Amino acid sequence: MAPGLLGAMLAHGRTVGRITETEAYLAADDPAAHAYRGRTKRTEVLFGRPGHAYVYRTRQHHCLNVVVQQEGVPGCVLVRAVEPIAGVDLIRCRRGGVPDSRLADGPAKLCQALAIDMQHYGEDLCGEGTVTIFAGERKPSEIVTTPRIGISRATDWPLRYLLAT
């Protein structure tokens, strides 16, 4: 699912971004996954139905994951970056004057840009919630795979996917 989300659109309110970078977390067998140590109040949504939002707070920032496994299996995909498509002036305002190339080029930056936070935890991203993901266009040849970044365990696993620029 992580490479399959590339090119999809992530929308919230008047803002829309094309997903350009994702990272997979492989359920309970992945030492970098939040669900690695089992089910907790924080990770409960990961064990639920696919297509829902797992939003978590890291320091003062928020990050968005998409639950992708069947119920009971806590695999998810971190949305790492989007290319702003609509509501760009609002995104610029939310991001405080950073260059356009840096508006949503990280998981916390995209959440700030699209105003995604803990109130979106557990939302249905397939059309029932205020944050939605819908089809976009891309060619499979545009995908680059690398090891994951920004983690301290299983750092060599090639589970980071990007649209080639």
Side-chain angles (χ1 to χ4, degrees):
M1 282 302 303
L5 285 172
L6 293 174
M9 300 295 167
L10 175 63
H12 182 226
R14 299 182 332 220
T15 57
V16 179
R18 181 172 78 126
I19 298 174
T20 58
E21 183 179 346
T22 60
E23 206 166 75
Y25 289 87
L26 306 176
D29 295 330
D30 183 347
H34 287 186
Y36 181 66
R37 291 190 175 98
R39 198 175 202 142
T40 66
K41 184 176 179 180
R42 178 185 189 195
T43 63
E44 184 64 31
V45 73
L46 291 172
F47 292 84
R49 294 181 317 192
H52 286 74
Y54 169 55
V55 179
Y56 67 92
R57 189 174 174 95
T58 175
R59 300 183 188 91
Q60 71 271 24
H61 305 291
H62 296 93
C63 296
L64 170 68
N65 289 261
V66 180
V67 178
V68 297
Q69 299 282 165
Q70 67 271 18
E71 282 190 66
V73 181
C76 65
V77 174
L78 172 65
V79 181
R80 288 197 55 83
V82 300
E83 171 191 3
I85 300 295
V88 179
D89 287 339
L90 181 55
I91 289 170
R92 286 183 185 122
C93 181
R94 289 175 179 158
R95 290 286 295 129
V98 300
D100 281 3
S101 63
R102 309 279 320 255
L103 288 174
D105 66 340
K109 293 176 187 180
L110 79 87
C111 283
Q112 182 183 22
L114 275 62
I116 296 170
D117 58 25
M118 292 306 295
Q119 72 180 342
H120 303 106
Y121 177 95
E123 274 198 12
D124 181 351
L125 299 171
C126 301
E128 297 296 321
T130 61
V131 178
T132 58
I133 294 177
F134 58 94
E137 294 184 19
R138 67 148 177 81
K139 296 177 185 172
S141 62
E142 297 175 344
I143 298 173
V144 174
T145 304
T146 74
R148 296 182 293 194
I149 60 173
I151 56 175
S152 59
R153 289 177 239 142
T155 57
D156 59 336
W157 294 15
L159 296 173
R160 179 174 169 238
Y161 304 91
L162 304 97
L163 284 179
T165 53

